[in-house]
Amino acid sequence: MASKAVYSQRDPMLKKRDDFEDILEERRNSSDLRYALRCYAPVVYKGLCPSKAGTLKSMVLQSDQLHYVIHQVCRETGRAVDDVQEEVSSILEEMAHRLQLSTVRFFAFTLSKVFKTLFRSICVNEEGIQRLQQAIQEHPVVLLPSHRSYMDFLLMSYLLYTYDLALPVIAAGMDFMGMKFVGEMLRMSGAFFIRRSFGGDKLYWAVFSEYVKTMLKNGFAPVEFFLEGTRSRTSKSLTPKLGLLNIVMDPFFKGEVFDVSLVPVSISYERILEESLYARELLGVPKPKESTSGLIKARKVLSEDYGSIHVYFGQPVSVRSLAEGRVNRCQFNLIPRHIPKKPSEDIHSFVNDSAYRLVRAQEENMVLKPWVLLASLLLQNQVSGQKRGIALDELTEQAVWLRDLSRQYGAFLHWPEHTPPSEVVSSSLSLHRGLVRISEGRVQLALGQTGGPAAPGEPRSAVTPEEELLSQAVIILSCASYRNQALHVFLRPALLASAIHTASSNKKQEVFNSFSFLRNMFSNEFILCPGATVQDFEEACYLLVKTGALQVTQQDVLVTERGHRTLVFLTSMLDPFLQGYQVVCRFLCEEATEALTEKQFIPAVRKFIIKHLLAGRLRYTEVLSSDLQKNSLAALLRLGAVRKIKGAEQGTLKVNTVMVNSLEDTLGGKLPTQKAVIARL
Amino acid sequence: MLYISTKYQIIRKDFPFYLGKTAHGGLWVQIKNLPGHLPKESPSHVFLQEIMKWNGWGYSDSRFLFNKKGQAEFTGKRYIIIGMIIPGLKDWFECTFGASLQHKTPATPLLNSSAVQPPTLNEAFVEELKSTGIPFSQDAEDRVFRAHGHCLHEIFALREGKFGRVPDMVVWPNCHNDVVKIVELASKHNVCLIPYGGGTSVSSALECPPEETRSIVSLDTSQMNRILWVDEKNLTAHVEAGIVGQDLERLLNESGYCTGHEPDSMEFSSLGGWVATRASGMKKNIYGNIEDLVVHIKMVTPQGVIEKSCQGPRMSTGPDIHHFIMGSEGTLGVVTEVTMKIRPMPEYQKYGSVVFPNFEQGVACLREVARQRCAPASIRLMDNEQFKFGHALKPQVSSIFTSFLDGLKKFYITKFKGFDPNRLCVATLLFEGDREKVLQHEKQVYDIAAKFGGLAAGEDNGQRGYMLTFVIAYLRDLGMDYYVIGESFETSVPWDRVLDICRNVKARIVRECKERGVQFPPLSTCRVTQTYDAGACVYFYFAFNYRGLSDPVHVYEQVEHAAREEILANGGSLSHHHGVGKLRKEWMRETVSNVGMGMLKSVKDYVDPNNIFGNRNLL
């Protein structure tokens, strides 16, 4: 226990978090109209040069950077300058926001109505709001909310309006623009639209980055975007995308602003509006194209209870402090700053590390509801083959145990303090009654006959086993998405628990090797900061030792008697992923043909998995999640076990069967870690 | 004192004419003698040491003080602001720094010789030196006086009566040959020599390296202060390197010439010092910087004397050896004689000033002036804080009429023109040449300024701006009497970076002060002081109230260090004209690259293998 002092700095129990205020309470007691029309006078950035949306556009069009790129494009393609300039104008036209207070007021009014019907409360940490207000005045601010729902960015703007803060401009995917009227409404509430992919289009990139930078540098408005790039369908944080983060940090690197404040915002939904939609999407029912009529159909969601939302505005992170000692800003001294340059190695790795840190900051301040723990327990119970479910009082006992464990791991758990646990459990279950069934005092997932809310009213006559499986999978994946909310709390200890489980001995070094292997394997799946293996290992050891589950000596890692329960829970948490990756490996070894393309991969692997599930060779239905399948392929590509053949049509996959095989065996604990490492080399 | 009075001196006590403030608020004055803003009396006939402060800036009799009524005034009889009451200074001082006249931090009044380390003498060297007849001294006061420049930490220590390593003796060579003899003897006896000119260094260049175990001899060039000849056909003058700036100008002025080299320190700094640090003068736009002004340099090194064989105006003979000498900061030898370009004195001189709505516009205007290559002799742009500072230094107005006029001007600028008094900034101008051309030039510059929203703001403001340069160092001493410490530092930077560097460095200073527990926001201000084709020179002023800090100098140094890092990160240079010394040498390698460093080292190794010139500057 001598190591305790060293670790105490990181003790998650010591994390201090702000209190929440419910903003809907006031909305329920006073006029929405008056609220929507009230005087709005936010504080602004001290260095703000007041400008209208129009001036903003001309500032972008006249920037040195765009001039340079326009002429470069002209030289390369032989096009006339006017022609290219016109293209630039139209790109900008397509992209630019038209923030209008009247639209915002309209949203303020309608959203008040909608929110009050949908949610019990919307809770915000007001200290975070105060910090944000301070930050907005001092430096350009970038808001980085987590992304779990379409709701996110309307909610963000709604909150900022409520607290009389500067309204953000928001980077939104172009797919929204397809929704004719809504797209324009969003544009007028501050959204600007970017194409989903524009990899090679340097003109587009130049317009886009200059547009964002101009807004940022002039303090025109806080810039808001989603680090994860898209909504997470699994409620796990997605590995961050770096493009926009790079753009907003660039003015700091180049000395154009003194500092930039990055504000991670964690938005947690007690019940996600898109719950079953996401599950279906992950199962291969294609995502409905965003359309206005689709949104109206979604009206039926209005009649349900979605519990509460917690929004936590995190501590603003100064890019300057982050970059201190990591980025040598002198690298921009010798080339005019407006000439676009690929980010150097040190900048790239700095941005990458920062992005992970920020996503972790989002994760840490995500509020977890008791249901999240229940979902974890029910999933584990379901897999363990208990057909009749789990007794309610047993579930309550386990939940209380898990509550205490998660708190010790630093979870931001909102468990009502003065309510008996049994009541907490039953009220959580009733909010999610579409996912669970309670009969005769026993609780289980709502699989099978009832079909779940995914397909109500559909004729249920000729159901094939496959269809049956898929409809169960909808429930399981929905449930898993709640469990996933808590994954970040248990991830590091779970990796350690699995490492202990798979390692061939109790030797600390071997456990570490195994930990390191798993961590590396799963780094596309979970948020694991690059290069922090040792830190993560130490943190995991610390937490398990602290809770008495583990004894760590100089050489050995020993599971204590009372630690057994914890370790079983933790390994079970990670097990679906371990199994899933193994199945994907097996698929690649057994079924992948020479001509398998990236595009065909998901359908093919899905078919393979369904076959195994139906044959009972695989326990985890959630392996059907295309998210897991994609991540595992990405990991294999990263490790070089699978290669994409360039030039071939649609990216043919070339499988290194020996290596994939050995990775599979290592995941299954059949091969010691060392060998896998060698195989990788 | 061991020295013998010098053999011959050009003595001239009566300074015939100088620019003064006329009754109606200062107008251009056609003058015969330049520079007008300098003291009336020539100090060169006496040792400067005797009339200068030992623990502060400038002349002993000249200082700012707050009188019994709490009004600031300036004592002595050397500067034109003498006797004037400066009513605004106290309020500005108290508001800006949160300082109070109640809280004083007076300096140790007298130099306590017993606190000075006894000299480490190299007896053999002293013996041989005696036989040459060159005057020298081991007096504590003489040694302390030459042990420092004017960095904050140096002056702060002196005020507290603390002395570090000081030179063990001082020698006063009287001519080039004396220097040759001294350097020979130093090499022979392995004595460390530190050349000393005007002592105005702000780079810790004069500090004795504490690790130096040899006897350190300060080589004071002040007695080599003659103009040896003037060549009117080629417009050159051959001058001994110890001459002080104002004497050089005054003496040349007598024959109708000038060099036009006017660094802010010209009252005290010497020609040799300018060469050794690559100095820059206020009026470089007309006359050039020191590298443009020198035609020939003679320097004594341990390997012998280095000089060129002719005075051709330009040569293609390999790398210019002058460029090994200029900026060598006393590490290679002693500059003894310099041939400099001279110019006929300008017929006419006129100050001016322009008010801009904000700093951004001001910089844009300076950039345009530089683009059109029509910069006046001097053009400087002060930021808003410095504008307010300058305003606080405005002497009491003499009549109701002037104060009425001032009020009217203020009204016009802030209300009628809509300038925000917390954003506006001012450029000061100095035009020189024949009358016609000056007026024409003036119009051109004001026309450009108008395009950037600039309003002409009178000559008075311009002139006061330049005067500020000469008194600011005295003001630091005043601040130090009341818990306020500060300093200035400079850089040069490409045009496109000027605004960014100004903003970021100022903000960095504020942030660092806050983080280091400085109780009140510091004064953090800048001005653009020189324009070039490709960039500008920027000067930062930084001062804070150190009440409540246990080690204010350390805090000061940390903040200055951070500010320099910020400058470098924003594409600024390590120095525009102050030099590197020991204060900034940690950044030399990244500034000139490894190979560059190797080049400089190899020159040092050849010229001075035994490190006789051991001040350890630069490398």
Side-chain angles (χ1 to χ4, degrees):
Chain A
M1 284 293 135
S3 55
K4 187 135 196 172
V6 184
Y7 289 128
S8 63
Q9 286 284 317
R10 268 208 306 280
D11 193 334
M13 287 292 276
L14 297 176
K15 238 173 260 159
K16 207 188 136 357
R17 285 161 175 136
D18 308 335
D19 296 328
F20 285 100
E21 294 290 328
D22 176 15
I23 60 156
L24 284 188
E25 202 172 296
E26 202 195 322
R27 292 278 47 74
R28 293 192 210 277
N29 299 325
S30 65
S31 155
D32 287 334
L33 192 63
R34 198 175 314 139
Y35 160 77
L37 294 176
R38 83 201 156 86
C39 166
Y40 166 75
V43 295
V44 291
Y45 173 49
K46 65 175 182 218
L48 174 75
C49 327
S51 59
K52 295 200 176 64
T55 21
L56 183 70
K57 277 188 207 168
S58 64
M59 279 167 90
V60 174
L61 290 174
Q62 280 155 22
S63 68
D64 291 338
Q65 177 167 356
L66 263 185
H67 268 260
Y68 181 86
V69 176
I70 286 171
H71 285 98
Q72 198 183 25
V73 168
C74 290
R75 253 199 328 275
E76 282 166 10
T77 60
R79 287 167 64 188
V81 175
D82 288 350
D83 184 34
V84 180
Q85 236 147 15
E86 210 154 288
E87 188 185 335
V88 166
S89 300
S90 69
I91 293 175
L92 198 56
E93 206 57 39
E94 174 192 276
M95 182 161 17
H97 73 84
R98 276 196 300 278
L99 185 59
Q100 268 183 358
L101 197 55
S102 55
T103 317
V104 173
R105 291 189 192 282
F106 166 79
F107 271 116
F109 180 76
T110 44
L111 286 178
S112 293
K113 299 285 181 211
V114 172
F115 287 158
K116 278 189 285 188
T117 355
L118 286 177
F119 303 108
R120 294 180 192 171
S121 60
I122 298 178
C123 300
V124 180
N125 65 328
E126 295 197 333
E127 283 163 68
I129 294 283
Q130 278 157 20
R131 287 191 297 256
L132 176 61
Q133 187 177 28
Q134 194 64 37
I136 284 175
Q137 294 171 64
E138 281 168 11
H139 305 292
V141 164
V142 178
L143 293 166
L144 301 169
S146 59
H147 203 8
R148 301 286 174 271
S149 167
Y150 275 143
M151 210 60 137
D152 292 327
F153 80 78
L154 287 176
L155 178 63
M156 282 292 290
S157 299
Y158 181 84
L159 289 179
L160 296 180
Y161 174 80
T162 303
Y163 284 103
D164 215 19
L165 291 171
L167 290 169
V169 288
I170 309 123
M174 201 68 123
D175 28 10
F176 274 115
M177 244 185 44
M179 307 155 80
K180 284 162 251 154
F181 175 67
V182 174
E184 286 313 299
M185 285 294 282
L186 294 179
R187 201 192 277 281
M188 288 189 282
S189 64
F192 64 95
F193 294 99
I194 43 178
R195 296 179 190 162
R196 279 265 176 235
S197 58
F198 45 89
D201 190 343
K202 75 169 90 155
L203 200 60
Y204 191 85
W205 176 260
V207 178
F208 167 54
S209 64
E210 195 55 30
Y211 181 69
V212 175
K213 281 187 218 168
T214 308
M215 286 191 293
L216 193 76
K217 283 191 292 197
N218 295 292
F220 180 79
V223 172
E224 176 181 317
F225 65 90
F226 299 104
L227 265 176
E228 299 164 281
T230 181
R231 289 172 299 153
S232 165
R233 271 70 166 168
T234 58
S235 286
K236 264 187 302 138
S237 294
L238 304 176
T239 50
K241 307 281 174 291
L242 305 184
L244 259 160
L245 191 60
N246 229 321
I247 290 174
V248 298
M249 285 181 162
D250 194 61
F252 165 73
F253 296 145
K254 291 183 175 164
E256 293 163 338
V257 294
F258 180 72
D259 200 352
V260 175
S261 296
L262 308 174
V263 183
V265 182
S266 316
I267 308 177
S268 16
Y269 295 89
E270 188 169 11
R271 234 189 109 191
I272 296 165
L273 291 164
E274 293 99 326
E275 180 183 273
S276 64
L277 204 68
Y278 286 160
R280 294 175 149 248
E281 210 181 293
L282 291 170
L283 289 167
V285 184
K287 164 182 163 191
K289 198 169 190 296
E290 277 87 352
S291 69
T292 309
S293 61
L295 202 76
I296 292 165
K297 267 188 215 142
R299 251 183 32 180
K300 81 171 174 57
V301 300
L302 287 181
S303 56
E304 288 193 40
D305 178 1
Y306 286 89
S308 52
I309 304 177
H310 285 83
V311 185
Y312 194 97
F313 287 84
Q315 200 66 246
V317 178
S318 145
V319 176
R320 177 174 278 268
S321 318
L322 279 181
E324 175 108 51
R326 288 223 37 197
V327 174
N328 179 6
R329 286 181 283 152
C330 293
Q331 62 187 284
F332 298 100
N333 287 356
L334 296 178
I335 300 179
R337 289 173 294 170
H338 65 266
I339 297 180
K341 220 175 105 186
K342 232 185 133 169
S344 62
E345 198 54 50
D346 66 328
I347 286 193
H348 179 83
S349 85
F350 167 72
V351 174
N352 191 39
D353 290 358
S354 307
Y356 274 87
R357 280 177 70 166
L358 289 160
V359 175
R360 287 228 31 208
Q362 285 175 355
E363 284 185 337
E364 274 171 13
N365 292 324
M366 286 282 203
V367 169
L368 305 181
K369 284 292 189 174
W371 163 247
V372 168
L373 304 181
L374 298 177
S376 314
L377 292 166
L378 288 169
L379 275 171
Q380 290 195 6
N381 184 259
Q382 194 266 331
V383 166
S384 65
Q386 300 279 336
K387 283 278 175 251
R388 292 183 51 241
I390 179 171
L392 191 57
D393 50 351
E394 199 191 330
L395 180 65
T396 309
E397 185 275 325
Q398 288 190 11
V400 170
W401 172 80
L402 192 53
R403 175 194 70 186
D404 297 342
L405 185 70
S406 64
R407 283 203 172 138
Q408 283 179 303
Y409 288 178
F412 195 6
L413 184 68
H414 262 221
W415 183 291
E417 278 317 316
H418 306 292
T419 321
S422 59
E423 242 171 77
V424 174
V425 169
S426 48
S427 86
S428 299
L429 292 175
S430 81
L431 184 69
H432 297 274
R433 64 180 83 86
L435 300 176
V436 282
R437 204 169 49 233
I438 311 171
S439 59
E440 297 158 30
R442 298 188 77 85
V443 188
Q444 58 177 313
L445 296 181
L447 309 174
Q449 307 92 312
T450 46
E458 271 173 33
R460 210 175 303 284
S461 50
V463 183
T464 65
E466 191 179 324
E467 277 166 350
E468 160 114 33
L469 177 66
L470 283 176
S471 80
Q472 286 180 4
V474 170
I475 302 293
I476 288 180
L477 285 184
S478 301
C479 235
S481 81
Y482 290 101
R483 176 210 56 203
N484 287 346
Q485 289 185 14
L487 259 179
H488 68 93
V489 176
F490 297 106
L491 177 61
R492 275 146 268 268
L495 283 169
L496 179 58
S498 302
I500 293 170
H501 190 73
T502 47
S504 48
S505 77
N506 286 329
K507 290 268 168 284
K508 194 175 175 184
Q509 184 59 46
E510 259 181 71
V511 172
F512 176 76
N513 288 347
S514 178
F515 177 90
S516 162
F517 167 77
L518 289 174
R519 193 183 174 282
N520 189 21
M521 201 68 212
F522 286 131
S523 60
N524 293 75
E525 191 73 45
F526 309 118
I527 301 303
L528 292 159
C529 297
T533 311
V534 175
Q535 260 163 281
D536 282 351
F537 182 73
E538 282 179 359
E539 189 184 320
C541 286
Y542 167 65
L543 289 174
L544 285 174
V545 168
K546 188 181 83 165
T547 51
L550 216 61
Q551 278 183 333
V552 180
T553 63
Q554 283 289 41
Q555 266 92 40
D556 297 307
V557 177
L558 297 167
V559 182
T560 62
E561 196 140 331
R562 47 187 271 247
H564 192 67
R565 184 179 186 182
T566 311
L567 266 84
V568 168
F569 171 79
L570 290 172
T571 36
S572 314
M573 194 133 198
L574 213 56
D575 207 37
F577 298 96
L578 268 167
Q579 300 277 337
Y581 275 48
Q582 288 178 63
V583 176
V584 171
C585 288
R586 204 168 323 145
F587 161 76
L588 287 170
C589 292
E590 288 175 13
E591 305 235 325
T593 57
E594 282 294 303
L596 180 73
T597 65
E598 213 181 347
K599 217 174 163 187
Q600 296 160 346
F601 169 76
I602 295 288
V605 78
R606 181 180 293 134
K607 230 170 102 190
F608 182 80
I609 290 169
I610 289 176
K611 200 173 74 193
H612 274 65
L613 280 169
L614 290 175
R617 284 196 296 267
L618 188 60
R619 287 192 293 169
Y620 294 103
T621 316
E622 63 172 289
V623 170
L624 276 170
S625 160
S626 61
D627 181 66
L628 181 144
Q629 296 152 8
K630 278 181 202 154
N631 289 338
S632 52
L633 179 64
L636 293 171
L637 283 164
R638 174 169 48 83
L639 297 174
V642 178
R643 280 187 302 122
K644 241 187 267 187
I645 307 220
K646 290 242 169 89
E649 59 180 290
Q650 294 169 323
T652 311
L653 297 173
K654 174 113 179 62
V655 182
N656 177 342
T657 319
V658 179
M659 199 168 161
V660 172
N661 227 328
S662 96
L663 284 173
E664 186 198 342
D665 288 350
T666 316
L667 280 168
K670 287 182 218 152
L671 258 185
T673 320
Q674 285 301 16
K675 275 221 175 112
V677 174
I678 291 158
R680 225 171 63 223
L681 295 171
Chain B
M1 293 260 178
L2 282 172
Y3 62 80
I4 308 146
S5 196
T6 42
K7 280 170 284 183
Y8 100 164
Q9 291 284 348
I10 304 161
I11 302 172
R12 216 193 136 79
K13 274 192 175 175
D14 53 329
F15 195 73
F17 196 86
Y18 74 94
L19 245 182
K21 202 175 141 74
T22 50
H24 49 284
L27 263 184
W28 60 270
V29 181
Q30 194 165 350
I31 48 165
K32 299 187 193 88
N33 300 71
L34 288 171
H37 24 249
L38 289 179
K40 300 183 213 177
E41 201 179 317
S42 149
S44 67
H45 66 292
V46 281
F47 278 92
L48 274 167
Q49 184 184 341
E50 289 175 355
I51 55 166
M52 288 180 71
K53 296 193 191 83
W54 67 276
N55 60 357
W57 179 263
Y59 303 107
S60 306
D61 62 356
S62 307
R63 63 166 64 242
F64 278 99
L65 53 80
F66 287 113
N67 63 23
K68 294 218 168 65
K69 287 190 226 152
Q71 291 168 314
E73 50 179 289
F74 195 68
T75 65
K77 23 187 200 310
R78 297 173 190 276
Y79 296 86
I80 60 172
I81 57 167
I82 298 313
M84 281 183 202
I85 299 292
I86 307 164
L89 188 59
K90 173 175 174 276
D91 283 349
W92 176 85
F93 184 72
E94 292 186 333
C95 292
T96 308
F97 297 108
S100 158
L101 299 196
Q102 312 308 318
H103 304 300
K104 287 201 71 170
T105 42
T108 315
L110 293 171
L111 194 155
N112 175 11
S113 302
S114 62
V116 182
Q117 272 180 11
T120 315
L121 294 176
N122 182 319
E123 294 301 341
F125 173 79
V126 177
E127 277 314 304
E128 283 209 49
L129 186 66
K130 264 184 194 157
S131 69
T132 63
I134 299 171
F136 65 90
S137 160
Q138 292 153 12
D139 178 77
E141 203 170 314
D142 292 337
R143 289 159 53 215
V144 167
F145 193 82
R146 286 160 188 81
H148 66 87
H150 283 273
C151 287
L152 176 86
H153 67 271
E154 294 172 317
I155 300 300
F156 197 91
L158 289 176
R159 285 173 63 96
E160 302 218 307
K162 291 180 185 151
F163 314 105
R165 177 86 156 96
V166 302
D168 299 302
M169 60 189 277
V170 183
V171 287
W172 284 273
N174 192 40
C175 60
H176 171 78
N177 286 338
D178 283 357
V179 175
V180 174
K181 282 180 211 156
I182 294 168
V183 173
E184 270 170 12
L185 287 181
S187 300
K188 182 173 166 194
H189 298 290
N190 196 22
V191 163
C192 172
L193 287 180
I194 298 186
Y196 181 90
T200 56
S201 149
V202 282
S203 59
S204 301
L206 289 169
E207 256 176 33
C208 298
E211 66 270 33
E212 181 60 67
T213 52
R214 297 173 295 182
S215 179
I216 300 179
V217 175
S218 177
L219 191 156
D220 185 323
T221 59
S222 62
Q223 302 313 299
M224 307 197 297
N225 56 5
R226 286 147 293 209
I227 296 177
L228 298 177
W229 46 255
V230 171
D231 177 348
E232 296 186 88
K233 291 201 178 68
N234 293 310
L235 286 177
T236 53
H238 192 67
V239 190
E240 288 184 314
I243 195 165
V244 167
Q246 59 171 320
D247 294 345
L248 175 63
E249 285 311 280
R250 189 172 35 73
L251 294 173
L252 284 172
N253 287 175
E254 282 165 14
S255 25
Y257 292 104
C258 66
T259 62
H261 185 70
E262 293 186 17
D264 291 357
S265 60
M266 71 176 292
E267 293 169 83
F268 309 108
S269 58
S270 68
L271 170 55
W274 300 339
V275 171
T277 56
R278 294 181 66 85
S280 169
M282 174 177 108
K283 299 194 292 195
K284 73 94 193 153
N285 292 336
I286 294 182
Y287 302 96
N289 287 319
I290 195 72
E291 67 272 21
D292 311 307
L293 285 165
V294 295
V295 175
H296 185 269
I297 304 173
K298 200 191 264 185
M299 177 166 83
V300 181
T301 78
Q303 289 284 21
V305 175
I306 175 173
E307 63 179 322
K308 290 184 185 175
S309 66
C310 68
Q311 306 203 38
R314 182 184 187 273
M315 301 182 200
S316 173
T317 49
D320 191 336
I321 56 163
H322 283 171
H323 286 282
F324 291 120
I325 299 169
M326 285 187 290
S328 60
E329 302 191 359
T331 58
L332 300 177
V334 190
V335 176
T336 54
E337 289 170 17
V338 177
T339 307
M340 270 184 108
K341 297 179 195 170
I342 56 172
R343 298 291 303 163
M345 284 173 64
E347 170 195 319
Y348 185 68
Q349 198 186 35
K350 192 173 178 185
Y351 289 98
S353 65
V354 182
V355 180
F356 292 99
N358 56 48
F359 192 64
E360 290 77 9
Q361 295 281 73
V363 170
C365 172
L366 260 64
R367 205 280 160 265
E368 184 57 30
V369 165
R371 195 196 314 274
Q372 295 190 22
R373 289 196 172 168
C374 65
S378 168
I379 178 166
R380 289 177 173 176
L381 179 74
M382 305 185 206
D383 68 0
N384 181 262
E385 290 85 354
Q386 223 165 99
F387 164 75
K388 288 178 179 162
F389 178 29
H391 211 72
L393 284 171
K394 221 169 172 172
Q396 200 160 34
V397 285
S398 39
S399 72
I400 300 174
F401 180 66
T402 11
S403 84
F404 172 73
L405 265 185
D406 280 353
L408 210 62
K409 268 191 254 172
K410 195 177 165 191
F411 176 82
Y412 177 73
I413 286 177
T414 59
K415 295 293 183 306
F416 189 73
K417 280 287 172 180
F419 284 19
D420 177 352
N422 291 315
R423 295 198 65 196
L424 61 81
C425 73
V426 62
T428 58
L429 310 165
L430 173 61
F431 297 91
E432 245 182 55
D434 60 73
R435 191 157 191 275
E436 202 102 317
K437 277 191 187 142
V438 162
L439 296 177
Q440 213 180 332
H441 192 179
E442 191 188 22
K443 185 176 179 309
Q444 186 186 7
V445 172
Y446 282 117
D447 283 351
I448 295 174
K451 283 188 199 138
F452 296 91
L455 294 173
E459 292 167 58
D460 193 21
N461 282 321
Q463 193 188 350
R464 203 174 42 250
Y466 288 100
M467 186 204 52
L468 194 65
T469 307
F470 290 94
V471 297
I472 194 148
Y474 288 104
L475 275 167
R476 181 172 80 177
D477 288 343
L478 177 73
M480 286 169 92
D481 287 339
Y482 297 94
Y483 280 99
V484 172
I485 52 176
E487 193 158 3
S488 60
F489 44 91
E490 42 73 31
T491 187
S492 57
V493 64
W495 276 116
D496 72 313
R497 295 260 195 181
V498 171
L499 282 176
D500 291 331
I501 209 170
C502 290
R503 180 206 327 106
N504 292 349
V505 173
K506 287 198 285 183
R508 178 79 180 259
I509 289 170
V510 173
R511 182 159 168 163
E512 294 284 337
C513 279
K514 197 172 163 192
E515 278 172 11
R516 292 171 205 289
V518 175
Q519 307 285 317
F520 300 92
L523 173 71
S524 174
T525 147
C526 70
R527 63 182 191 208
V528 180
T529 60
Q530 289 290 8
T531 62
Y532 292 87
D533 287 349
C537 168
V538 180
Y539 231 93
F540 294 95
Y541 288 88
F542 150 51
F544 64 87
N545 179 345
Y546 66 84
R547 268 174 71 83
L549 295 180
S550 59
D551 191 351
V553 172
H554 182 62
V555 170
Y556 169 80
E557 285 173 343
Q558 286 179 311
V559 178
E560 193 193 329
H561 189 273
R564 182 57 61 181
E565 296 260 312
E566 192 63 32
I567 286 173
L568 298 174
N570 282 274
S573 64
L574 190 53
S575 172
H576 169 264
H577 60 274
H578 282 173
V580 174
K582 288 179 274 290
L583 192 60
R584 284 175 279 273
K585 75 183 203 179
E586 66 179 286
W587 291 289
M588 255 313 261
R589 187 171 292 277
E590 62 183 272
T591 299
V592 301
S593 81
N594 277 329
V595 178
M597 201 69 176
M599 278 180 165
L600 297 179
K601 278 223 164 86
S602 64
V603 170
K604 166 78 179 172
D605 289 346
Y606 171 73
V607 175
D608 183 17
N610 297 319
N611 198 27
I612 296 304
F613 288 92
N615 60 18
R616 302 191 195 222
N617 290 337
L618 205 59
L619 297 176

